[in-house]
Amino acid sequence: MEPLILPGTLDSLSKIGAYVLEAASEAGLEKKIAYRLRLAVDEIATNSIVHGYERVGEEGDLVVSAEVGEGILTIILEDTGPPYDPFKTPSPDDLDQPLDDRDIGGLGVFLAIQGVDEFRYEWENETNRNIFIMKGKE
């Protein structure tokens, strides 16, 4: 599949989601797995837009690419916002607490990383690279 280049705005999220689902279909992923992947990519893309571009007053693009293999799919999401390693976001340690008593932040990133078979982050050439890998079967 050809890479998708979109402005780093919240309006781009639906196109990113559609791209991920199309790539998942091409890779033969089960719908449940494809949906988990779409949610993970959506969460990290939202963070890239809100924290990487909007909050610091910058503009930039998001580049989404797919590497489709037999029963495996790799999605790569890139942005040129400030470096942000999702692994450095503290995992929520209050998941057993009532929602009103929990700290805000970190849950979406935690769920995104946990929701895929493999997640990697790279900072290269002033670019954040978030790599999501899903296999076709549960």
Side-chain angles (χ1 to χ4, degrees), residues 6-53:
L6 296 166
T9 64
L10 293 174
D11 290 338
S12 296
L13 292 174
S14 62
K15 289 179 183 167
I16 292 170
Y19 180 89
V20 169
L21 291 177
E22 181 183 338
S25 176
E26 229 178 85
L29 299 184
E30 294 175 359
K31 286 189 183 212
K32 192 163 131 181
I33 293 169
Y35 182 70
R36 281 194 352 244
L37 176 60
R38 187 189 65 77
L39 286 176
V41 173
D42 186 76
E43 177 61 34
I44 300 298
T46 299
N47 279 354
S48 295
I49 294 163
V50 172
H51 301 293
Y53 291 138

Side-chain angles (χ1 to χ4, degrees), residues 72-94:
I72 190 166
L73 174 61
T74 301
I75 297 289
I76 301 168
L77 173 68
E78 297 177 310
D79 70 77
T80 56
Y84 174 70
D85 183 348
F87 288 113
K88 293 188 177 172
T89 299
S91 296
D93 57 3
D94 56 0

Side-chain angles (χ1 to χ4, degrees), residues 53 61-63 76-84 121-130:
Y53 291 138
D61 290 332
L62 294 175
V63 179
I76 301 168
L77 173 68
E78 297 177 310
D79 70 77
T80 56
Y84 174 70
Y121 169 81
E122 300 169 356
W123 171 253
E124 192 174 300
N125 299 324
E126 304 290 311
T127 301
N128 291 292
R129 286 184 103 216
N130 296 279

